[in-house]
Amino acid sequence: MILRIDLLQTELPPPTDPDPDGAAAVQELLGGKFGEMSTFMNYTYQSFNFRSRQGARPFYDLVASIAAEEFGHIELVAATINTMLTGVADEGLLAGTLGARIRRSVTRRLGTPLEGVKGVRNTQHYLAPGGAGAMVQDSMGKPWNGDYVFSSGDLIEDLTHNYFLETGARSGKLRVYETTDHPAARALTGYLLVRGGVHQVAYARALEKLTGADLTRLFPSPRIPTEKIPECRPHLDRGEHLKLYRFSPSDFGEVRAVFNGPHPETGEELVVAEEPSPDGAPANDLPPQPGVFAPGPEPEEIAAIAQRLRVAAGLPRRPSGRVA
Amino acid sequence: MILRIDLLQTELPPPTDPDPDGAAAVQELLGGKFGEMSTFMNYTYQSFNFRSRQGARPFYDLVASIAAEEFGHIELVAATINTMLTGVADEGLLAGTLGARIRRSVTRRLGTPLEGVKGVRNTQHYLAPGGAGAMVQDSMGKPWNGDYVFSSGDLIEDLTHNYFLETGARSGKLRVYETTDHPAARALTGYLLVRGGVHQVAYARALEKLTGADLTRLFPSPRIPTEKIPECRPHLDRGEHLKLYRFSPSDFGEVRAVFNGPHPETGEELVVAEEPSPDGAPANDLPPQPGVFAPGPEPEEIAAIAQRLRVAAGLPRRPSGRVA
Amino acid sequence: MILRIDLLQTELPPPTDPDPDGAAAVQELLGGKFGEMSTFMNYTYQSFNFRSRQGARPFYDLVASIAAEEFGHIELVAATINTMLTGVADEGLLAGTLGARIRRSVTRRLGTPLEGVKGVRNTQHYLAPGGAGAMVQDSMGKPWNGDYVFSSGDLIEDLTHNYFLETGARSGKLRVYETTDHPAARALTGYLLVRGGVHQVAYARALEKLTGADLTRLFPSPRIPTEKIPECRPHLDRGEHLKLYRFSPSDFGEVRAVFNGPHPETGEELVVAEEPSPDGAPANDLPPQPGVFAPGPEPEEIAAIAQRLRVAAGLPRRPSGRVA
Amino acid sequence: MILRIDLLQTELPPPTDPDPDGAAAVQELLGGKFGEMSTFMNYTYQSFNFRSRQGARPFYDLVASIAAEEFGHIELVAATINTMLTGVADEGLLAGTLGARIRRSVTRRLGTPLEGVKGVRNTQHYLAPGGAGAMVQDSMGKPWNGDYVFSSGDLIEDLTHNYFLETGARSGKLRVYETTDHPAARALTGYLLVRGGVHQVAYARALEKLTGADLTRLFPSPRIPTEKIPECRPHLDRGEHLKLYRFSPSDFGEVRAVFNGPHPETGEELVVAEEPSPDGAPANDLPPQPGVFAPGPEPEEIAAIAQRLRVAAGLPRRPSGRVA
Amino acid sequence: MILRIDLLQTELPPPTDPDPDGAAAVQELLGGKFGEMSTFMNYTYQSFNFRSRQGARPFYDLVASIAAEEFGHIELVAATINTMLTGVADEGLLAGTLGARIRRSVTRRLGTPLEGVKGVRNTQHYLAPGGAGAMVQDSMGKPWNGDYVFSSGDLIEDLTHNYFLETGARSGKLRVYETTDHPAARALTGYLLVRGGVHQVAYARALEKLTGADLTRLFPSPRIPTEKIPECRPHLDRGEHLKLYRFSPSDFGEVRAVFNGPHPETGEELVVAEEPSPDGAPANDLPPQPGVFAPGPEPEEIAAIAQRLRVAAGLPRRPSGRVA
Amino acid sequence: MILRIDLLQTELPPPTDPDPDGAAAVQELLGGKFGEMSTFMNYTYQSFNFRSRQGARPFYDLVASIAAEEFGHIELVAATINTMLTGVADEGLLAGTLGARIRRSVTRRLGTPLEGVKGVRNTQHYLAPGGAGAMVQDSMGKPWNGDYVFSSGDLIEDLTHNYFLETGARSGKLRVYETTDHPAARALTGYLLVRGGVHQVAYARALEKLTGADLTRLFPSPRIPTEKIPECRPHLDRGEHLKLYRFSPSDFGEVRAVFNGPHPETGEELVVAEEPSPDGAPANDLPPQPGVFAPGPEPEEIAAIAQRLRVAAGLPRRPSGRVA
């Protein structure tokens, strides 16, 4: 089971200009065959289905703890998409039809506050019940599905798969990086490239420990040095490319029996963090988007009800959540 | 982000007789439209996409914390399926071809240790790279997909959806209960029926707080009283039908602003637990299944390597994991 | 738009022995690529998308009226599946667990009234929220989908498609006929083979009128003479193989400009019926199946409520519907 | 079975400017998970699978008659899409290549009469055999499929589903309304919002009659008052928001045992219409689109053949169909 | 089994301006329901599944040899798509970020060499691991799937299907022709229209031989005379519309028992070629696209390794392959 | 383009007892994610999309020629499935209904010659237009689809993928071997395991040549020594585990620059065959299955027509094809 901490694994910038087609591209990193839903679910189900756990404990602990990190990755990608979609639907039907706040665009007419949505690549972000939020889809709007999960039970096959999956995932992140320089997308890909690199190393090292095969000769794969990417630098400077977290209060300690030795590119020593997870950062509290009724056409009414409930329950008057 | 605890939310019995067709049926509770992948992913994405979190904080906390509980539910269903699949593939190709251990069945010939698999409902549990383990599929072998996630952004719509989803999920659990009396399946459904009931109440109560609509008049839905089901009784006796956990070290405390008042069926007071989660129970360490090469055709070799790595890393000689 | 008449196009026998695997096979005639959902939806959308209707009126009328007949066909196939599924789930959880009515089978134990379902080919008839009723799926449980609809706008292409579709549909019906002799399946296929034959003739004749191509030389296709099939005979004796109905109070009269001339196999004259539709027959009122909560675990309670509502609304005390 | 009336349930404007991306958006209301194919097929199959019809007659009549209305809705949405697609493909290959009729756009070169199609959101409206007509797809081009049909057999579950489905459908209509002000789209959504509202009320009332739960406190959901939408006003003025039609010559009369009492928003009395259906309006006879060979590259040739056939069959020289 | 010849069946022009949306349209001819994957796989599987081959030898030979031609067609369509995609990704991340070669567009900023990709219709050509190359998808990005294969075993049904499939394929080619005048797309469609026409004739003739039905009265279907299309002319002039190849060193000679008689449109005599295949033409050696790491971020490094390997293996220093 | 040779790559036994559920299992090797459709299509599209072919020629030649071999593999798997399905449908409707040939089974009644099909795992082999022949599906009846093709353009990524794909394919073959000892299935898997092993070696060697990474330390993967499997032995004895064929009359000669050096398991020298392909073996001429109308309900009639056509075309009276 899990405990959830209401923080992101790294900081994201607040919304600026909306970038719906950029957000559609970032969906590839969420629901694509090589997106974070795939890494999360592959390692999670491999850990669920792991037989003879005690006998193979260091490998179980490796897969199980990386799985836990990946939850944080789907959370980050979703937050990025939400950020990039913010601003297109910030006016709703009543405002558009009856009101007078016609701000942004000459193409926006009375009563069609979503007109700009008509031509975007993923209209379901707005049309199908999508509240200007992340969908469980890839960049073409195709839903992620369970066929993307590989869990053969054979440890060598599974690790080979995972190494290949991380390679495809790295490739996808590089391509999205090349596609949009929206600040949120760049903060996301900079972080994920570093962390995905750690997972590539981890699975290659696990195969090496089991068989002697030296997959690290393939690094980096694809062959773009992470250190050349500016948005990766702060994370490299903090040593995040060398560190595996257990993402657990007290379990998965045997991961250090596999994840050790020199980093294949830099020669620095790999390390398992003492602390269970990185510090994290609070998420931005993204503003309502009345054009898609999120969190409702009248967010103020919901806020007033919430306030009453809070008081009735003996909670402080001010919301207690952590936001940026 | 999450921390993972290597315990199940409730105890499951160890493997007894294999029940592959029963396991195929239980898949409906994992990857079916109304299975636990759907509850987990719906609430998770609704929490990711939640706008104006501070304004609607008690509702955000409710959805976010139930999402965290649902991870434990996919874990439980997967463990059940693994348990029910154990035993069919416990001999492998070499044993079958060359060895002499022809134990269980007259229909099992030399060299076809998986012959019994030919007629089972979900052959991919064994044939497609499935290590006698859970697939991300429903009872017909159709993969779970992202289309099953509803995240409209509109709080009232989302809560209405969630209430309906829990109703369908409860229906599914009751039907699986009626289909197999395998001990693992019964332990699973007994527990999930109680916890799913709590979630039904939670979403109905949230809608009531927002609108005044009294959905609790629909309870129980479907109309099978949980208390009549023997496998639910221990959980009812412990009050698990009244309690919501935050599943977080320190977040989601405002859930108590929504989850309160009398239980619609029993009149007892609903309560938010002080402790972050239930105590949990260690999982069974399921035995290798060499017929599907899980965790490899020669599990002993993996165990020996693991032992060497453990020692080299300065870890204790005995595996440190928690298993039943 | 449509008006609905609460009658089946032909009579079906009441439920006898359940035949779940036979029902799974009959699903091919409902949701298969060549099933009745496909004929219904293909002709319906071709009529919706028909351009220059007045100019091509006789052809529009042909496609539009056959579309209307096909609604009656999905209704018939669904009724057949429901009939064949009746009886497996006629006991529910409470009866099974607590009661004493253990009737039919030695394999049915206390508390598992659906145990027989575990091995059937389509478990979703019972497990997924399926009330022992028809699913919009084929014989393998794959959902029907909109890709099966061909509507090119080009009249000659569309008619060629329709001719081919009817050929595949006839093939499917013959194969299901060969697979099960359940009385409901036989009554269904006997009727559909005759009516499908009429549609094959109609589309071939339309192509002949447009181009001169003589597709009727291909008849029958597949080459099983309908007259040799006993269950077809009553319908042939009534001339149903020669007759097209408009299925409309007053529209689609120009169908007779296309559907005329000799029947390609028998030489008899084709005819457009004066009456809008066949007489039809009332459906059987299929009994509750408490094991799947249809129409609820306690059908008597629903009946009592219905009775009260009927009286309160000034309706007669006895239900007014037409059933067999 | 059904009779088909060759009229639309409400009037649509004739084609004006084409709006292919708007038409792609409107597809969400046809083949989306919450589109009219879903409402049509859900209620249709629930009526097909309804057990114990006589006992639950008022509820059966309600579901069966709303199903019949929904056929008219898919017809209306398809007509809207056809209207919005008219004009892009009104020149064909020969005209483009060899002819001289280069009218509309400087970007249209000799021989590429469909060049404008290259960038539209749903190219299959033109490229895949789509005759500038409706596809059985959503706004992303994903086919509608049978998984969207929920038919549990449990009356309370089914009605809860239907209520939720109508909520999602209303949300979708509002979002499309916000996206395009094409006259056809606006006429469509104005009408459907009113009729969908009636269905929401009907299912909520049915649940109230069965259980006492008051779902009408949720109204309107989503919370946009229909009366504020200009295109809804004519239908409200005619009382269409209060009226349920039986859509049957003589069946489904017991619907009035459920559909009665005050409208939850206005307090006006709900009423079951005496007449079987609304008056309806003839469809526009949409012009040929030679660029996609609809209804054939030479519509005049088809018309001439039709004329000859009409005469040969003893029909009047002028087409008899009803068009606007 | 097959032998592969490293030549295209006809010549394609080298890359000029990239046309990503045109390439997305051409995908319909590859992975669409009526694309070349469908013709290739339908005839291939029909030949694999052909029963009683000796008895029906001329028909088997016909289907088997046309299947072999279709491999060349998927190859041609893929080459066309690759050609049209060349040029957008010809700069990579390092060049974009650190270098100075900012050539083509003012919208292309430092570090986003793929920015132009953000708005194209099929982003997976670049984003998902797609190396600016063909995907097994249709024009909407939906994957081709095995459901598109029809192999009933009934020869008349299969031939009817094939005739209809070729009709739909011809329609698709005409529509793509109308959509883009990119030189590669035009060279492709000009050739495929002629060869597809031969296949339409072949299947119609086969049906005629088996049943006497004269489908050739439907020709051409759709009714655009191929001779009016300039890009078809060179192939017509060489008689390619009259000729069937066996595509085999020595098999499939009985095809001439079916493919003979006059061409239905021109009256010229159909002929089975003596030579196994057309002469073909070498493919263009398409340049690297570093922006998508094809064939790697540093193609020169790969070339150097290849050179060393060539020498080490005793091969000539210069690559031996045939390219244009 | 390709030339087709009407021979299988290896010999298969003639049909004996039908084994429909075994055939359903073998489908995993055809249309499963790791089946031969995947290997065929992955390498084919990678070769189509290969950029800078001349520069990377030895690698292009490797991928292109293995692709060609894989066509022969889908052919072999399909032939195996056809063989295993032969015998269930060898009586048709008329024989069953009217005739007297009730041979095999007491459960087979008059008029239901396919009754045995009702319970098989893949009913579409018979019901959906499947002529007791191979479907493009996996062992659960799910269609193969283009999503299974990975073609990133990045040579290292593609080769890593291919290595992993062959690993999964080998795993699948071993599991099918364990599942059925039908002679055709065993002949198939014995051959494919040897040839798949060659491809695993080839891709590992290619990666080694490019990067120095030694993947051959992973061999065999999964860890079942091929030499222990009796059905592999004849192929090993002929050296088929060491040999790559170019499968081309004169192309792809540079494959020898990559495929050389010692075999990782045996140390024997790898070799590129001089001859283009193995000798092959004629396929069995599988008998008609009238129950599914293959090749028609009256195969004799087709044979008679074929005979007449043969004579009319000046061909020998006896069929010229090569069959076993």
Side-chain angles (χ1 to χ4, degrees), chain E residues 4 40 67-75, chain F residues 1-2 40 44 48:
Chain E
R4 189 166 172 183
F40 177 36
E69 174 163 3
E70 301 291 3
F71 179 94
H73 291 187
I74 61 168
E75 189 178 31
Chain F
M1 61 184 165
I2 62 170
F40 177 37
T44 294
F48 289 170

Side-chain angles (χ1 to χ4, degrees), chain A residues 73-148:
Chain A
H73 291 187
I74 61 169
E75 189 178 32
L76 269 174
V77 186
T80 301
I81 293 168
N82 274 281
T83 303
M84 297 169 82
L85 293 174
T86 298
V88 167
D90 57 4
E91 276 173 44
L93 188 55
L94 296 182
T97 306
L98 309 170
R101 291 184 298 143
I102 309 300
R103 285 178 302 176
R104 199 160 319 157
S105 157
V106 294
T107 68
R108 185 180 292 178
R109 277 172 270 170
L110 269 178
T112 47
L114 293 181
E115 194 170 33
V117 167
K118 208 170 64 177
V120 298
R121 292 194 63 263
N122 192 327
T123 47
Q124 292 193 326
H125 280 143
Y126 302 93
L127 280 189
M135 311 284 282
V136 190
Q137 298 181 344
D138 67 13
S139 70
M140 296 296 284
K142 186 166 47 188
W144 184 90
N145 76 77
D147 253 8
Y148 297 164

Side-chain angles (χ1 to χ4, degrees), chain A residues 169-187:
Chain A
R170 178 176 163 84
S171 179
K173 289 161 200 164
L174 288 166
R175 290 158 189 242
V176 167
Y177 183 97
E178 291 183 309
T179 301
T180 174
D181 55 7
H182 190 284
R186 285 288 168 98

